[in-house]
Amino acid sequence: MEMAANNIARIAALLTILVAVADPFSQQIIGIVPCILQMDVLTASVSRTNTYVATGGHTGALESEVDSPMAVAINTGLVSPPDRITSLVSTTCESGNCTFGQFSSLAVCHSCNEITPQIVNLTRARGPWNYSLPWNESEEYLGFTDIHLAPSTHMNTSVALSPRHLLDVRILSLNVTTYESANAFQCQLYPCVRTYEASVTKSILEENVTSKFPLGFDAFGGFRYVLATSNLTLSGEQKLDCSMRPTNNTAGLVRVAIPNVDAAPQEPQSSGSKAPSGWFPEECVWTFGQSPYLAIRPEIQRYLYDTSIQQYDNTYIGSIVAKNLWRNGAINLDSVDTFMRNLSDVMTARIRNASPNGAGDYVLGRVFLDTICVEVRWAWLSYPVALVASGFAFFLILFIQSPREIAALRSWKSSNLAILFCSLEEAVRQKAELGWFRDEISEVAKTSFVQLEQDGAGKAKFLEG
């Protein structure tokens, strides 16, 4: 029994020590951490549109002036595109951190490929280099002319305005590394519909194009590009039903041709072909209007037609657009593709910002706010919990080990009477017939009166009072 009591006492002492080091763990339970919360009271939007009809005005039969912001966009894309073209897209994000569901918008797309095998080497056995990129009359792209590289001409271009595209351009460039070969490229710009995934992080818009589809001519609307399809009707997280409607009720519907969207962009579709037609909801029809079509084509042609780089001694002469394209002789397929992508992206930003319905066509997003949150670190709670559990276990063991009889009930802190009686005068002890058990000492203490004095040896002793 005494052994069990000693063990319990040791456990109690150990628990007392462990409790003393619990404070650092308790302080670590609660932490202050940065977090992001969705704020429904704030707004977020990014521009998009189904229709582009902006123009600078009608100037004659099948002639229109280019819209001034589009003219600026074309110049910017060709001469000095920004590092982040997404900065040109109209965006609202009050917190600086927003997300948008997948959405689609009218846009301008491009494609480029290398046509070097079509180059004809006209170099004579003796004489200057001379390369030619002839125009194949069997092609449907009307308007190309033969391109030549003379001894002083290191790059030249030819532009065609085919019915299918906003622009077709061919580029012939001398290989300035060896001067013994040339490279040729062909690119197109065409109206399309792009599908995006977008987000704003620290006030910077990031977009990823997940798909793009070319537009075709609307046989019932003249020279306008139209695409009607159910695959591109995403606006935020909402997907519309864009299936063809019956003709018994055409309210709110538009009749359009159904172009072959699977055709490669470089394969022109004749505007006179009898394409099948149908009636579709207005919000499911993507339209690039006739007026901007007529105005944009000659505007881009003016920059890229007969764009050449001439060498005079060690100086290369040409327009800014030509120099940006030529890149000091480092022109290749990747650089040409980047050049055309910058142009198409800047033009697309203008188109998206020019929605006829303004912000009513924009995509709404979710706003997230950087803030400070209180975090409960549950792992740090394990030590205090273990201490509490150990305390309950200790008291349970103590209850089980304690005697049931009240008379023999053990007290963790014994009475001080036994210590006091150690200094009791012997006469008092004999008079009271004092025993050595706890209960006997308690009974004698009730009837004894003593006072603390010095004995003959100068020690403190309880003497009879």
Side-chain angles (χ1 to χ4, degrees), residues 16-70:
T16 302
I17 296 174
L18 293 178
V19 168
V21 297
D23 285 346
F25 290 86
S26 301
Q27 294 171 2
Q28 293 296 328
I29 294 175
I30 301 299
I32 305 300
V33 296
C35 61
I36 298 178
L37 298 179
Q38 182 173 340
M39 305 298 293
D40 295 332
V41 297
L42 301 180
T43 59
S45 65
V46 62
S47 63
R48 62 161 299 281
T49 185
N50 281 56
T51 304
Y52 179 66
V53 292
T55 178
H58 178 68
T59 58
L62 296 180
E63 293 182 0
S64 294
E65 182 69 14
V66 68
D67 177 37
S68 294
M70 178 57 76

Side-chain angles (χ1 to χ4, degrees), residues 8 24 30 42 63-64 98 103 111 116 118 130 136 138 158 175 177 193 197 233-234 243 323 362 400 422 448 454 464:
I8 293 175
I30 301 299
L42 301 180
E63 293 182 0
S64 294
C98 303
F103 65 93
S111 64
T116 299
Q118 299 181 26
N130 194 349
N136 187 350
S138 64
S158 176
N175 188 331
T177 302
V193 175
E197 291 177 347
T233 56
L234 298 172
S243 58
K323 290 180 179 179
Y362 289 6
I400 296 174
C422 290
S448 299
Q454 288 185 343
E464 185 176 8

Side-chain angles (χ1 to χ4, degrees), residues 411-426:
S411 174
W412 282 100
K413 184 177 181 182
S414 300
S415 173
N416 294 326
L417 290 175
I419 299 175
L420 296 176
F421 272 100
C422 290
S423 298
L424 187 63
E425 185 181 13
E426 186 63 25

Side-chain angles (χ1 to χ4, degrees), residues 198-213:
S199 63
V200 175
T201 303
K202 295 181 179 179
S203 300
I204 297 177
L205 175 64
E206 299 290 342
E207 292 186 327
N208 177 41
V209 178
T210 60
S211 65
K212 57 184 180 180
F213 291 85

Side-chain angles (χ1 to χ4, degrees), residues 230 233 239-245 281 283-284:
S230 60
T233 56
K239 190 170 184 178
L240 303 176
D241 178 14
C242 283
S243 58
M244 188 184 302
R245 299 295 197 267
E283 61 269 24
C284 299

Side-chain angles (χ1 to χ4, degrees), residues 355-432:
S355 171
N357 298 322
D361 284 342
Y362 289 6
V363 176
L364 300 181
R366 294 188 294 270
V367 181
F368 297 89
L369 183 65
D370 289 329
T371 185
I372 300 299
C373 296
V374 177
E375 178 186 47
V376 178
R377 301 166 179 168
W378 297 105
W380 290 95
L381 194 60
S382 59
Y383 186 76
V385 169
L387 284 180
V388 173
S390 299
F392 277 109
F394 168 73
F395 285 111
L396 179 62
I397 294 172
L398 179 63
F399 176 77
I400 296 174
Q401 294 294 331
S402 298
R404 298 292 185 271
E405 298 81 5
I406 299 299
L409 186 63
R410 191 184 308 278
S411 174
W412 282 100
K413 184 177 181 182
S414 300
S415 173
N416 294 326
L417 290 175
I419 299 175
L420 296 176
F421 272 100
C422 290
S423 298
L424 187 63
E425 185 181 13
E426 186 63 25
V428 179
R429 175 189 293 277
Q430 293 177 358
K431 180 179 179 180

